[in-house]
Amino acid sequence: AAPAPLPAGAVVPTGSRRRCEFCGRLLHYEPPVMACACCAPATAGVAAAAGRAPRIACLMQLRNEARCLEGCLAHLRGYVDGIVALDDGSTDATSSILGREAGLADCLANPVRDEHVWRERENQLRLLRRARELGFDWALCCDADERYETRFLENLKAIAASFPSRELPCLTVDLRELWEDPHHYRVDGIWGRKTRARFFRLPAAIDLEHGQELHGQWYPDEVRAHGRMLRTRYQLYHLKSIRREDRLRRRDFYNALDPAKRSQLGAHYTDPATIERTV
């Protein structure tokens, strides 16, 4: 059956026409919000007081992502201090691409199995604990088919340095599902309200008992219990909604994993009313 037509105004251009008056980042047709953490005068000198700049690891769980992985690594390169990846039994060139990455701090691996079993929360927990063992202070989480707004990546270290060491901040980004071409994303219904909590300080104790097995949030229990959730207006673009065949493949994949849809309703975004807008 042919897909239902999209509502009027459901897809909007991704171009930007407004910039932050402090740092110049693009605000994507949205009203001005509080100044970026890295631009606020109150944050000046925090990094120097801490003695060293925070070390940021990008955490990635991957399976057969050779098509998108090289572009993802290229867009992160130079903005994080290391990549900590988990190859979940890939049968394509994912492993060799990771092996060529100069910024790779460590690569965990699950064995190739005849029947793959996706254990998202277990993979996330292993990555979080390994990043902590390697001495990283902050985690940025990214899938191979995602791209962060460049201005966000440029400001990562300044944002991390702006928080006192005793705090456990966790920052969200607005998720944009690119649709039909790289220049448009959907904004109707749930599509316009999706956020992801993807940048947070790593606590001393790493546990991940909260949430659900599919589409669960990355941040550890300690951050959930004692952290500070902060909403940003930075963008995270999802590439695998562009082509219809990718959308259908992704739908079928998650429906096979979760036929009763226990982990798929309400799992795609955080209620904006519970999040503080800061950057």
Side-chain angles (χ1 to χ4, degrees), residues 48-278:
R52 67 170 176 83
R55 296 184 68 234
I56 301 170
C58 182
L59 309 185
M60 308 181 72
Q61 57 174 331
L62 307 161
R63 175 173 167 79
N64 293 341
E65 292 289 1
R67 192 182 102 196
C68 297
L69 182 55
E70 287 185 286
C72 185
L73 294 172
H75 108 284
L76 294 166
R77 201 169 292 134
Y79 297 117
V80 296
D81 297 293
I83 305 287
V84 182
L86 186 148
D87 181 3
D88 195 6
S90 294
T91 56
D92 64 358
T94 294
S95 178
S96 60
I97 293 171
L98 284 172
R100 297 194 299 268
E101 176 55 39
L104 186 68
D106 197 8
C107 181
L108 311 178
N110 289 333
V112 178
R113 299 184 178 93
D114 293 336
E115 184 177 352
H116 176 255
V117 179
W118 186 254
R119 296 186 176 92
E120 184 173 282
R121 187 161 52 179
E122 179 183 315
N123 292 344
Q124 291 171 340
L125 183 59
R126 290 178 63 192
L127 285 165
L128 290 164
R129 287 178 172 171
R130 184 56 181 151
R132 196 74 178 90
E133 289 170 358
L134 292 170
F136 289 102
D137 305 296
W138 283 69
L140 176 74
C141 307
C142 189
D143 293 340
D145 60 352
E146 296 173 337
R147 303 291 185 269
Y148 282 99
E149 177 182 347
T150 301
R151 187 64 66 174
F152 176 55
L153 295 176
E154 291 173 346
N155 289 336
L156 276 181
K157 293 193 175 183
I159 292 172
S162 71
F163 292 99
S165 58
R166 65 182 179 277
E167 286 194 10
L168 287 175
C170 181
L171 281 69
T172 74
V173 291
D174 289 341
L175 180 64
R176 301 304 189 192
E177 302 274 4
L178 298 179
W179 204 264
E180 298 299 335
D181 65 58
H183 306 292
H184 292 80
Y185 58 80
R186 288 190 66 171
V187 296
D188 57 305
I190 191 176
W191 302 87
R193 303 194 303 272
K194 293 183 180 183
T195 66
R196 291 290 185 270
R198 291 295 189 82
F199 188 46
F200 48 87
R201 190 193 301 279
L202 289 166
I206 305 287
D207 292 298
L208 205 60
E209 297 299 327
H210 72 274
Q212 50 201 23
E213 184 59 41
L214 297 178
H215 307 297
Q217 296 283 10
W218 278 82
Y219 52 89
D221 295 344
E222 188 75 6
V223 174
R224 171 178 284 266
H226 305 292
R228 180 183 174 199
M229 189 70 70
L230 304 163
R231 184 176 187 179
T232 81
R233 284 299 190 183
Y234 290 115
Q235 314 291 302
L236 174 62
Y237 298 104
H238 184 219
L239 276 60
K240 282 190 182 171
S241 289
I242 297 178
R243 304 191 311 173
R244 186 172 186 271
E245 56 266 38
D246 286 337
R247 299 195 295 265
L248 294 176
R249 189 178 299 112
R250 188 169 182 266
R251 179 202 64 187
D252 294 343
F253 172 75
Y254 282 109
N255 283 347
L257 291 177
D258 182 24
K261 295 182 171 58
R262 292 188 179 90
S263 297
Q264 300 190 67
L265 294 177
H268 302 282
Y269 68 97
T270 307
D271 181 359
T274 67
I275 299 175
E276 179 181 347
R277 298 182 181 183
T278 57

Side-chain angles (χ1 to χ4, degrees), residues 17-27 151:
R17 63 183 179 188
R18 182 179 289 115
R19 293 176 179 270
C20 169
E21 61 181 293
F22 294 94
C23 71
R25 82 171 179 84
L26 306 178
L27 295 180
R151 187 64 66 174

